[in-house]
Amino acid sequence: MAILINEEKKLFTLNTKNTTYQMKVIDYGYLAHLYYGKKMDGDMSYVITHYDRGFSGNPYEAQEHREFSLDNIPLEYSCYGNGDFRTPAFNIKDIEGIHGCDLRYVSYEVMDSKYSLKGLPAAYTNDGEKGETLKIVLQDPQVGVEVDLLYGIIEDKDLITRSAIIRNISDADIFVAKASSVSLDFVTGDYDLIHFHGRHAMERMYEREAINHGVKKIGSTRGTSSHQHSPFVVIAGKDANEDAGDCYGISLLYSGSFNCEVEKDQTDQVRLNMGVQDEMFEYVLYPESEFVAPEVVMVYSPDGFADMSHKMHDVVRYNICRGEYKTKRRPILINSWEAVYFDFNGDDIVNIAKQASELGVEMLVLDDGWFGVRNDDKSGLGDWFVNEDKMGGPMADVVKRVKDLGMKFGIWIEPEMVSEKSNLFKEHPDYAFVIPGRKPVMGRSQLNLDFSRKEVVNCIFDQMTAVLDKIDVDYIKMDMNRSILNVYSMTEGIQNNGTILYKYVLGVYDFMERLQARYPKMFIEGCSGGGGRFDAGMMYYTPQIWCSDDTDAICRLDIQYGTSFGYPISVVGSHVSAVPNHQTGRTTPFNTRAVVAMAGSFGYELDLNKVSDEEKEEVKAQVENYKKYWDLLHNGLYYRLTDADKSKGVAAWSFVARDKSETLVNIVTVESFCNAPVPFVRVKGLDVDATYVDEETGAEYSGQGLDQIGLPVPLKFGEYNAYQIHLVRK
Ligand code: DGJ
């Protein structure tokens, strides 16, 4: 049993294989947080100490016990208005406009399986796995609000999840001003925050900083999880590194605007809140209605970032991703975007497919430009009918010609958008987010469709399925190419404006759920201008996401490094593209581009008719290599072997078989010097008592040597060389 309850002490303990989470109902019915970390026995109530601290308020019942203040007590679901002046997880406003409430414990319930959330993604158990749920109910009867705190446990995965359901139990409307999914207080310890910031085409850049006094806030107000910040963070002990130390990986399963705050308070305690963004958010709760906060998944490791990442990778890959291709090798694809952009016809697409298929590529993906009037990015979105003039006939003909080559076929869509120059906008201007009487802010010359409205989702769904029903599609790339603004829903009325972005995300999830249900064998890859909606919530619907619009192999080293902390290799869409690279102008060797792209779900993004004969031979070898190593890449353990600063002038990572029988070490040199010192890359995760043989050269290395000294990186003339070294246990 993972959930232990001491009725007398009102002590709740959640145990996973290696971790413990504990909380308790303390005086006056408050639910205090006691502990989250390494597995422990016993009652940790003693961590709560009481001192009278000036200007920290006391509950009315405490009277002269001025040492009891919520301002200093670690809480499970902190709220504004009860004397806790730290950043609250929860805040509501009543019908009179008064903010705040005071949540007290009411009851608990234990369920024999892991909860799911209606309309929202949530981690689930697989056959043979045991999940459990603890629900704790808190209430403020004066204000008329009830909160179900949900704790999910998958013991074997060391996974603890949290969510909250907010319910109006009064007769009047109330307004949820903030409803985090998790609030996590740390009474002791000195921590760093690791987060992943970025920008379009340069997402998830690693940043580590001390948690100092005050509030550090990251998040998105863009309606998507965004290129700018990832909804995955790490709270790391000061000494934590890849190989050792305390660290908590915390990931929000939500693809809209989000908020993550980390605060060090007046007595050096640390609090993390994470959930839906509260800026521009105000959720009207009518009597008896509910708001469901998206799920947060959490893993803890005392053994450093590599172990934490391995746990999070397994949770995302096995307990969040779904569908036919969840754990299957996906077809090696060639995408038309960087090959031809909008400038193509049906024959061009078939020609790209033909050459690619001859070299072993398995699927053609027709990107943007096949529908409506869409010869650039200024028109056509919303008109989901095949442009037969451009394609030279019905889409089914193109699909057949591609399939006759023995390839699978994939197609690009962008359902959430409308161009002003489109039939849809002419017929239904009210379907777009535009504030009446104001000129909208444009993004890529397009407007957001109001996916909070069912009829809008239905209109796009019906148009798209009319196309898809007629062709045999194996894959969809679902894109989203602007941030959301001009938020105004014609049907909701202005009092509900603060709910629309949340309902929009539910609309997107509903669209994907229905699409997958209609074509269960089809594989959906997510995309938002590359990695602008690269979050674990989206991965529930799209087990692969185009990681970045930047296909430059050297930029990808940083992007994929940051991404690897919270997300497994299998979700990372990664392609070999042409040089000079279309985003940076940089030229890198063909082999380097392939080595980098193999740290993901592999494909090509160029016209292979235009590469040299020598490079065509390389493509054949790369395809074979990827197939040969796929099991190791996707089912093995991923290790970062160098840090973000690539201090030795190399970036290195490896994949290790779970039984330690083999590893594939990948190295890219990022600096070139004359008479350079030989960099050594320490190889992790191997059997230190074994000997490993380099499959290509026959060189032998002791496991201990690889672990302690490392592999010497070959010094080779030229820029950006890459090496893949396959070591097999003797
Ligand atoms: C942005 C995507 O990330 C690209 O790969 C491509 O699909 C374009 N959109 C098409 O407009």
Side-chain angles (χ1 to χ4, degrees):
M1 191 71 178
I3 301 174
L4 304 176
I5 294 167
N6 184 323
E7 292 277 359
E8 198 188 328
K9 293 182 173 173
K10 286 276 179 298
L11 185 71
F12 301 91
T13 306
L14 315 178
N15 280 326
T16 68
K17 201 158 78 179
N18 301 295
T19 69
T20 294
Y21 187 108
Q22 197 174 68
M23 58 205 139
K24 178 188 167 83
V25 181
I26 58 167
D27 293 349
Y28 318 115
Y30 291 107
L31 184 64
H33 175 78
L34 301 181
Y35 176 75
Y36 180 30
K38 205 171 186 162
K39 195 161 190 172
M40 286 225 255
D41 288 329
D43 176 353
M44 264 74 80
S45 310
Y46 74 92
V47 301
I48 299 179
T49 54
H50 298 283
Y51 294 96
D52 182 1
R53 298 195 187 269
F55 290 84
S56 289
N58 324 106
Y60 190 77
E61 304 96 301
Q63 294 290 315
E64 297 311 314
H65 297 296
R66 297 208 306 217
E67 68 285 354
F68 188 98
S69 174
L70 295 178
D71 213 11
N72 305 301
I73 293 172
L75 293 166
E76 275 302 310
Y77 205 57
S78 53
C79 53
Y80 173 77
N82 61 6
D84 179 359
F85 289 95
R86 293 166 290 179
T87 310
F90 182 56
N91 188 10
I92 61 165
K93 190 175 80 172
D94 70 11
I95 196 98
E96 316 265 273
I98 300 167
H99 275 102
C101 66
D102 187 17
L103 295 171
R104 314 275 181 119
Y105 172 80
V106 175
S107 61
Y108 77 87
E109 193 184 330
V110 174
M111 284 156 261
D112 207 16
S113 59
K114 158 79 180 48
Y115 65 86
S116 54
L117 299 173
K118 192 163 176 283
L120 281 164
Y124 62 90
T125 49
N126 293 290
D127 287 350
E129 268 178 347
K130 178 95 187 79
E132 284 175 60
T133 300
L134 171 67
K135 176 166 97 179
I136 298 190
V137 183
L138 308 177
Q139 217 182 64
D140 181 340
Q142 292 191 85
V143 173
V145 66
E146 187 168 82
V147 177
D148 295 346
L149 295 182
L150 295 176
Y151 299 84
I153 299 139
I154 303 180
E155 215 175 334
D156 283 348
K157 290 279 175 37
D158 275 332
L159 175 67
I160 296 192
T161 72
R162 289 194 54 180
S163 172
I165 300 178
I166 322 297
R167 193 172 308 111
N168 183 349
I169 53 167
S170 76
D171 298 333
D173 299 349
I174 54 175
F175 305 87
V176 182
K178 181 174 184 180
S180 305
S181 302
V182 63
S183 192
L184 194 59
D185 281 348
F186 298 81
V187 177
T188 60
D190 200 4
Y191 295 100
D192 288 341
L193 171 70
I194 299 175
H195 59 103
F196 304 89
H197 68 98
R199 53 191 187 272
H200 174 228
M202 209 62 200
E203 300 88 340
R204 290 172 296 286
M205 298 292 108
Y206 170 95
E207 190 159 86
R208 179 174 185 162
E209 60 188 274
I211 300 176
N212 287 322
H213 292 97
V215 181
K216 166 81 187 182
K217 184 171 159 133
I218 61 159
S220 160
T221 54
R222 295 167 183 266
T224 56
S225 45
S226 87
H227 301 86
Q228 284 71 14
H229 286 287
S230 169
F232 168 78
V233 296
V234 180
I235 301 285
K238 279 277 166 224
D239 302 330
N241 57 33
E242 284 290 343
D243 310 315
D246 280 334
C247 48
Y248 301 81
I250 303 168
S251 196
L252 178 68
L253 273 60
Y254 187 62
S255 308
S257 299
F258 77 97
N259 179 30
C260 175
E261 300 144 336
V262 182
E263 176 174 10
K264 189 176 206 173
D265 73 12
Q266 58 177 343
T267 56
D268 299 345
Q269 303 178 115
V270 169
R271 165 172 295 170
L272 171 134
N273 296 323
M274 198 170 188
V276 167
Q277 176 63 263
D278 51 309
E279 277 174 42
M280 269 76 73
F281 170 83
E282 187 172 76
Y283 199 94
V284 192
L285 272 188
Y286 301 111
E288 292 177 27
S289 66
E290 292 180 341
F291 170 80
V292 183
E295 177 165 284
V296 156
V297 299
M298 308 190 288
V299 296
Y300 161 80
S301 174
D303 299 321
F305 307 144
D307 187 54
M308 183 270 308
S309 289
H310 295 159
K311 287 182 172 164
M312 197 49 103
H313 291 175
D314 279 358
V315 165
V316 174
R317 181 151 153 80
Y318 299 108
N319 301 88
I320 293 175
C321 290
R322 299 178 299 166
E324 169 88 359
Y325 282 94
K326 169 178 163 175
T327 52
K328 257 190 14 200
R329 183 174 75 74
R330 293 146 202 173
I332 297 171
L333 66 81
I334 184 149
N335 180 294
S336 67
W337 181 241
E338 287 195 25
V340 286
Y341 295 98
F342 291 107
D343 188 14
F344 61 85
N345 59 31
D347 289 341
D348 297 331
I349 296 302
V350 175
N351 285 338
I352 291 172
K354 189 163 181 303
Q355 176 61 83
S357 73
E358 282 166 14
L359 304 179
V361 177
E362 298 162 315
M363 178 161 74
L364 180 281
V365 176
L366 172 55
D367 209 283
D368 199 351
W370 57 266
F371 55 90
V373 179
R374 181 101 173 142
N375 295 316
D376 54 33
D377 60 11
K378 297 183 182 63
S379 67
L381 292 168
D383 295 343
W384 297 102
F385 53 85
V386 178
N387 184 338
E388 295 194 357
D389 288 343
K390 183 168 178 176
M391 296 311 297
M395 185 64 85
D397 289 357
V398 177
V399 177
K400 180 166 182 315
R401 289 168 71 195
V402 170
K403 294 231 161 178
D404 285 349
L405 298 167
M407 291 182 110
K408 291 185 184 298
F409 185 84
I411 199 163
W412 178 97
I413 58 171
E414 190 176 5
E416 299 152 73
M417 296 293 160
V418 63
S419 307
E420 271 188 316
K421 286 188 205 153
S422 67
N423 295 339
L424 184 72
F425 191 70
K426 267 186 224 126
E427 281 163 30
H428 295 287
D430 63 301
Y431 279 12
F433 277 148
V434 178
I435 301 171
R438 295 195 201 169
K439 290 268 176 272
V441 175
M442 302 301 288
R444 208 194 191 201
S445 306
Q446 61 199 54
L447 292 165
N448 308 98
L449 283 173
D450 180 359
F451 259 47
S452 75
R453 283 168 66 182
K454 194 90 184 161
E455 65 273 33
V456 178
V457 177
N458 287 347
C459 162
I460 299 297
F461 187 80
D462 293 346
Q463 282 195 59
M464 286 188 174
T465 51
V467 174
L468 297 174
D469 281 353
K470 288 200 206 87
I471 53 178
D472 182 13
V473 175
D474 303 288
Y475 160 107
I476 273 191
K477 174 177 172 189
M478 179 165 145
D479 207 345
M480 197 283 185
N481 282 302
R482 64 158 289 175
S483 304
I484 305 180
L485 209 61
N486 318 305
V487 178
Y488 183 91
S489 187
M490 295 296 178
T491 51
E492 285 280 1
I494 200 65
Q495 77 280 7
N496 280 321
N497 213 47
T499 70
I500 292 167
L501 282 178
Y502 173 80
K503 289 180 180 160
Y504 176 98
V505 176
L506 297 192
V508 174
Y509 288 156
D510 174 51
F511 178 87
M512 289 187 290
E513 192 73 57
R514 284 158 61 188
L515 203 61
Q516 190 67 80
R518 189 164 178 125
Y519 311 106
K521 296 239 172 278
M522 192 178 70
F523 172 50
I524 312 179
E525 172 162 6
C527 177
S528 173
R533 207 159 52 179
F534 197 103
D535 55 75
M538 192 46 75
M539 288 162 199
Y540 188 69
Y541 305 92
T542 64
Q544 180 172 311
I545 301 180
W546 181 225
C547 184
S548 178
D549 268 353
D550 190 343
T551 56
D552 176 306
I554 303 308
C555 293
R556 276 288 182 127
L557 293 175
D558 292 334
I559 297 166
Q560 293 177 188
Y561 172 84
T563 303
S564 75
F565 277 79
Y567 306 102
I569 289 303
S570 58
V571 299
V572 175
S574 198
H575 299 168
V576 175
S577 62
V579 288
N581 179 267
H582 293 191
Q583 292 79 42
T584 61
R586 187 183 350 235
T587 296
T588 49
F590 205 63
N591 175 51
T592 303
R593 284 173 266 155
V595 168
V596 174
M598 278 191 208
S601 283
F602 186 65
Y604 291 86
E605 180 113 7
L606 73 171
D607 185 350
L608 289 172
N609 290 298
K610 295 187 179 153
V611 305
S612 67
D613 288 346
E614 201 179 296
E615 285 169 334
K616 283 180 187 154
E617 289 309 308
E618 281 193 63
V619 172
K620 286 187 197 162
Q622 289 162 2
V623 163
E624 284 318 308
N625 246 3
Y626 184 69
K627 288 188 195 159
K628 171 178 169 190
Y629 291 128
W630 174 80
D631 184 42
L632 183 57
L633 301 178
H634 283 225
N635 296 325
L637 295 173
Y638 176 87
Y639 284 89
R640 292 169 291 268
L641 303 181
T642 47
D643 289 337
D645 61 4
K646 303 185 256 343
S647 57
K648 293 178 193 157
V650 299
W653 63 97
S654 69
F655 303 91
V656 180
R658 290 186 190 236
D659 65 1
K660 300 178 194 272
S661 59
E662 57 173 330
T663 182
L664 185 69
V665 180
N666 301 265
I667 304 169
V668 175
T669 56
V670 293
E671 283 170 8
S672 310
F673 299 105
C674 180
N675 285 323
V678 177
F680 280 74
V681 169
R682 287 176 68 180
V683 185
K684 300 183 180 181
L686 297 182
D687 180 352
V688 288
D689 297 325
T691 299
Y692 287 85
V693 184
D694 180 334
E695 201 189 32
E696 199 183 323
T697 64
E700 294 197 359
Y701 302 92
S702 83
Q704 241 158 1
L706 290 168
D707 182 59
Q708 293 298 313
I709 306 164
L711 269 181
V713 178
L715 296 179
K716 199 168 123 189
F717 190 73
E719 275 190 313
Y720 308 123
N721 293 309
Y723 309 93
Q724 270 187 331
I725 301 160
H726 186 212
L727 301 173
V728 181
R729 187 166 50 196
K730 204 172 164 183

